[in-house]
């Protein structure tokens, strides 16, 4: 039934202009704004062509989960680039992270399909984004 329809994920932000600048300028994604006035919203186009719908919400609360995951070949290079662009990496007490905020599972721990390394940062609205190296 839904295998032939268009589908996309979505999340809210508290400031659409800040989100557009963050996702378009800082992360380099294609951002398409649509609507006017109170009905402004935007789509992010991810590598590979998938789209994500982002909408403003007056009483926005940041998602309690990771809203986007970006796979990279070299997490250290990606984290360094994000740090240079002003990103701040999150640290969670249940994960041991290095000085940059990268969590690197022990030898053999990622062979079950999990990432070889992962780091989390937030957008201006407080939504969590991950950058991960899978190989």
């Amino acid at each position: 039934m839904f295998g032939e329809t268009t589908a996309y994920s979505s999340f809210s932000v508290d400031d659409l202009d800040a989100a557009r600048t963050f996702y378009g300028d800082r992360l380099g994604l294609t951002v398409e704004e649509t609507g006017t006035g109170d009905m402004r919203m935007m789509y992010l186009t991810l590598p590979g062509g998938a789209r994500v719908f982002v909408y403003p919400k007056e009483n926005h609360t940041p998602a309690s989960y990771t809203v986007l995951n970006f796979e990279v070949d070299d997490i250290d290079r990606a984290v360094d680039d994000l740090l240079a662009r002003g990103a701040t990496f999150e640290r969670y007490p249940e994960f041991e992270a290095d000085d940059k905020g990268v969590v690197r599972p022990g030898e053999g721990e990622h062979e079950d399909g999990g990432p070889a390394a992962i780091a989390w940062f937030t957008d201006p609205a407080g939504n969590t984004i991950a950058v991960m190296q899978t190989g």
Side-chain angles (χ1 to χ4, degrees), residues 26 82-83 86-90 120-122:
R26 198 172 272 178
L82 288 163
L83 286 167
T88 301
F89 285 86
E90 301 296 309
W120 297 271
F121 59 103
T122 59

Side-chain angles (χ1 to χ4, degrees), residues 1-2 16 28 31 41 49 66 71 82 96-97 100 102 112 116:
M1 175 171 145
F2 290 110
L16 199 64
V31 177
M41 47 207 98
T66 305
E71 287 187 24
L82 288 163
E96 186 176 330
K100 295 179 187 179
V102 178
D112 64 355

Side-chain angles (χ1 to χ4, degrees), residues 6-78:
T6 300
Y8 46 86
S9 181
S10 65
F11 59 88
S12 69
V13 296
D14 55 358
D15 182 336
L16 199 64
D17 293 325
R20 183 184 65 243
T21 299
F22 177 81
Y23 287 103
D25 297 343
R26 198 172 272 178
L27 297 187
L29 298 177
T30 300
V31 177
E32 175 191 347
E33 242 187 269
T34 183
T36 59
D38 289 342
M39 295 302 293
R40 276 179 56 220
M41 47 207 98
M42 67 183 190
Y43 289 94
L44 308 176
T45 301
L46 304 176
R51 293 183 354 144
V52 177
F53 179 62
V54 179
Y55 59 95
K57 187 174 177 187
E58 190 174 309
N59 60 345
H60 166 77
T61 300
S64 61
Y65 52 88
T66 305
V67 298
L68 286 174
N69 297 280
F70 291 98
E71 287 187 24
V72 296
D73 293 329
D74 183 341
I75 196 162
D76 291 304
R77 188 176 76 214

